[in-house]
């Protein structure tokens, strides 16, 4: 009999927990950035996260570097154009949004 009660309890728990994220608002992803040194190398870029309804973040800086910080900074040491991408996730990670922006880092010799 205890085994039957345990199974019923587990079933109700699974149903209850499964519905916890049902009404999560869909996130939007957005960010702005500013760079020191007039965007010449070496340039540290500060990212300001403007996402809404998001719980966690993945940043991709266009040069194989990543971050999960909310408002990260990243230093670029090679000139070029970098496509920065932000993914903003809901708490359940079932919904997400992304935003891409290009950053141009200049060589000091130009």
């Amino acid at each position: 009999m205890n085994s039957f009660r345990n199974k019923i309890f587990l079933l109700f728990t699974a149903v209850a927990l499964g519905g916890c994220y049902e009404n999560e608002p869909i996130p939007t992803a957005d960010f702005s950035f500013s760079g020191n040194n007039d965007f010449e190398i070496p340039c540290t870029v500060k990212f300001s996260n403007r996402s809404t309804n998001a719980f966690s973040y993945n940043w991709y800086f266009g040069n194989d570097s990543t971050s999960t910080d909310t408002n990260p900074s990243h230093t670029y040491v090679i000139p070029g154009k970098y496509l920065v991408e932000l993914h903003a996730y809901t708490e359940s990670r079932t919904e997400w949004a992304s935003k891409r922006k290009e950053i141009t880092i200049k060589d000091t010799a130009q």
Side-chain angles (χ1 to χ4, degrees), residues 12-79:
F12 282 116
T13 302
V15 169
L17 291 177
C20 285
Y21 301 112
E22 187 174 311
N23 295 320
E24 282 184 307
I26 295 175
T28 62
D30 193 19
F31 64 94
S32 62
F33 58 89
S34 61
N36 71 336
N37 207 21
D38 197 30
F39 287 95
E40 292 182 349
I41 56 169
C43 178
T44 298
V45 178
K46 294 181 181 183
F47 296 92
S48 297
N49 191 335
R50 296 181 176 174
S51 303
T52 60
N53 300 322
F55 184 79
S56 62
Y57 309 96
N58 285 346
W59 292 86
Y60 305 91
F61 299 116
N63 61 354
D64 295 327
S65 295
T66 63
S67 176
T68 57
D69 291 346
T70 302
N71 296 294
S73 293
H74 183 69
T75 301
Y76 292 90
V77 295
I78 298 173

Side-chain angles (χ1 to χ4, degrees), residues 20 78 95 98 110:
C20 285
I78 298 173
E95 298 286 344
S98 66
Q110 293 179 342

